[in-house]
Amino acid sequence: MPRTTPPRILTLLGTALAALALAGAGMAPAQAAAPVAVDASLTPASGGRVHPTHRHTPDVQYVNLGDSFSAGFGSGTLRAGPIPGCLQGTGPSHVTRLASLPGVHLTVDASCAGATPEDITAIAGAVRTQLATADLVTLTLGGNDLDLAGLITACSTLGSDAACRQALAMARQTLPSITASARTTLRRIDASTSGRILVLGYPRLFSPQYGDNDFVTARHARQLNRIADGLNRAVRAATRRTHTRFVPVAGPFNRHGLGSPTSWIYFNTANPGDPFNMHPTTTGYLRGYYPAVLHRAGLHHRVR
């Protein structure tokens, strides 16, 4: 889950949105932020179509927040999102598929690759007008509080056993703080909307049952998957005592991680620095994330 560009996203938000404030559409501190002026060419992902619905089926106002797993990294190409300094993928994902359902209107996709829970809190303040009228909110959060890229590199064939042990120990120590930071963010979002808030989990990125591969040994892959499981437990714990609901997605990816002949995880072997690496492919979003969120959002009856 790479960051967009240094410096940190929160700094980018502070400077870019402060400039927008001069034009009447900016952002003060998160608790007093003005709504972001959203570029109509970027939202909704369904192309702005208004879907006809049965007169007895109310329309659904939809807001998407979160990090790169919400921003569709791994599908399509890169594009700038409506939040200054934030990047998203252009390809199909669970978000675009939800937004294409009859009567579902994506009012803003404010997801941001590299966003931490703290960053997402600030972004939620910037789109508070959209949140106030939202019927559905989806997001992923917490993964960027881990140095996931560093962890995976240390445990890959580019690293060493010693480096992997150290990185795994640091990740385990970080997990409790992820629960605390994610809960703070979820409570802020919870207070901003009466809509249904679905907090999506993360997949296991590896399929060690297929043995060693050129990038990672099966042993290290199992250790990395256990960190992913711990991350999901930390995020699930953050949803307690809120009106948010955790949606697991690990199951569908179990035989489709890196190393599987039918992997749903993007990895560009020619470019280890590709920002899409270690994210779901289009298939991963549509066959892993979308069915899970469709069911929990109560929108399956709109599928045609």
Side-chain angles (χ1 to χ4, degrees), residues 146-157 163-165 167-169 171-172 175 202-208 213 215-233 258 278:
L146 290 174
D147 179 13
L148 205 58
L151 172 62
I152 291 172
T153 300
C155 293
S156 74
T157 52
C164 183
R165 283 194 299 271
L168 289 168
R172 294 186 195 103
L175 291 174
Y202 294 95
R204 292 174 175 172
L205 297 176
F206 302 94
S207 289
N213 58 62
F215 181 71
V216 66
T217 65
R219 180 169 66 89
H220 284 171
R222 285 190 291 270
Q223 293 171 325
L224 290 168
N225 280 349
R226 284 195 285 270
I227 293 296
D229 293 343
L231 173 60
N232 283 324
R233 286 192 296 270
L258 196 65
M278 309 313 298

Side-chain angles (χ1 to χ4, degrees), residues 188-208:
R188 178 66 63 86
I189 297 171
D190 200 2
S192 301
T193 181
S194 60
R196 181 177 302 190
I197 305 168
L198 300 181
V199 182
L200 312 183
Y202 294 95
R204 292 174 175 172
L205 297 176
F206 302 94
S207 289

Side-chain angles (χ1 to χ4, degrees), residues 36 62-72 82-83 88 94-95 106-113 115-117 119-128 130-131 134 136-141 185-186 188-190 192-193 196-200 202:
V36 165
Y62 173 33
V63 171
N64 183 53
L65 302 169
D67 58 27
S68 54
F69 283 71
S70 293
I83 301 295
Q88 301 173 343
H94 59 289
V95 177
L106 183 60
T107 59
V108 63
D109 182 357
S111 57
C112 185
T116 64
D119 299 328
I120 295 168
T121 299
I123 292 170
V127 298
R128 69 179 187 274
Q130 290 91 338
L131 283 172
L136 174 66
V137 179
T138 58
L139 73 155
T140 49
L141 82 170
T185 297
L186 294 178
R188 178 66 63 86
I189 297 171
D190 200 2
S192 301
T193 181
R196 181 177 302 190
I197 305 168
L198 300 181
V199 182
L200 312 183
Y202 294 95

Side-chain angles (χ1 to χ4, degrees), residues 75 91-98 253 264 280-292:
S75 182
S93 71
H94 59 289
V95 177
T96 64
R97 184 62 62 87
L98 287 173
F253 283 86
W264 294 352
T281 60
T282 298
T283 301
Y285 285 117
L286 298 186
R287 296 183 63 182
Y289 272 87
Y290 174 64

Side-chain angles (χ1 to χ4, degrees), residues 1-273:
M1 287 161 281
R3 297 190 175 278
T4 52
T5 55
R8 296 182 71 252
I9 288 173
L10 202 56
T11 302
L12 288 170
L13 282 170
T15 55
L17 292 178
L20 284 177
L22 298 177
M27 176 178 169
Q31 67 271 22
V36 165
V38 179
D39 186 339
S41 68
L42 297 176
T43 57
S46 58
R49 297 188 301 274
V50 176
H51 302 282
T53 60
H54 193 283
R55 63 181 179 178
H56 297 304
T57 303
D59 284 0
V60 174
Q61 306 305 313
Y62 173 33
V63 171
N64 183 53
L65 302 169
D67 58 27
S68 54
F69 283 71
S70 293
F73 261 43
S75 182
T77 58
L78 288 174
R79 72 171 178 194
I83 301 295
C86 290
L87 296 178
Q88 301 173 343
T90 62
S93 71
H94 59 289
V95 177
T96 64
R97 184 62 62 87
L98 287 173
S100 71
L101 293 174
V104 177
H105 307 290
L106 183 60
T107 59
V108 63
D109 182 357
S111 57
C112 185
T116 64
E118 182 183 6
D119 299 328
I120 295 168
T121 299
I123 292 170
V127 298
R128 69 179 187 274
T129 297
Q130 290 91 338
L131 283 172
T133 59
D135 302 296
L136 174 66
V137 179
T138 58
L139 73 155
T140 49
L141 82 170
N144 284 310
D145 278 354
L146 290 174
D147 179 13
L148 205 58
L151 172 62
I152 291 172
T153 300
C155 293
S156 74
T157 52
L158 300 175
S160 65
D161 285 346
C164 183
R165 283 194 299 271
Q166 182 177 6
L168 289 168
M170 291 182 62
R172 294 186 195 103
Q173 292 172 4
T174 302
L175 291 174
S177 66
I178 291 176
T179 296
S181 62
R183 181 176 290 129
T184 297
T185 297
L186 294 178
R187 285 176 173 170
R188 178 66 63 86
I189 297 171
D190 200 2
S192 301
T193 181
S194 60
R196 181 177 302 190
I197 305 168
L198 300 181
V199 182
L200 312 183
Y202 294 95
R204 292 174 175 172
L205 297 176
F206 302 94
S207 289
Q209 62 267 44
Y210 296 100
D212 297 348
N213 58 62
D214 291 340
F215 181 71
V216 66
T217 65
R219 180 169 66 89
H220 284 171
R222 285 190 291 270
Q223 293 171 325
L224 290 168
N225 280 349
R226 284 195 285 270
I227 293 296
D229 293 343
L231 173 60
N232 283 324
R233 286 192 296 270
V235 175
R236 181 193 290 271
T239 65
R240 295 171 188 154
R241 297 186 296 279
T242 72
H243 294 99
T244 66
R245 185 173 185 181
F246 182 76
V247 180
V249 300
F253 283 86
N254 277 344
R255 300 189 66 84
H256 300 288
L258 196 65
S260 166
T262 56
S263 176
W264 294 352
I265 302 299
Y266 181 97
F267 189 74
N268 181 354
T269 56
N271 180 14

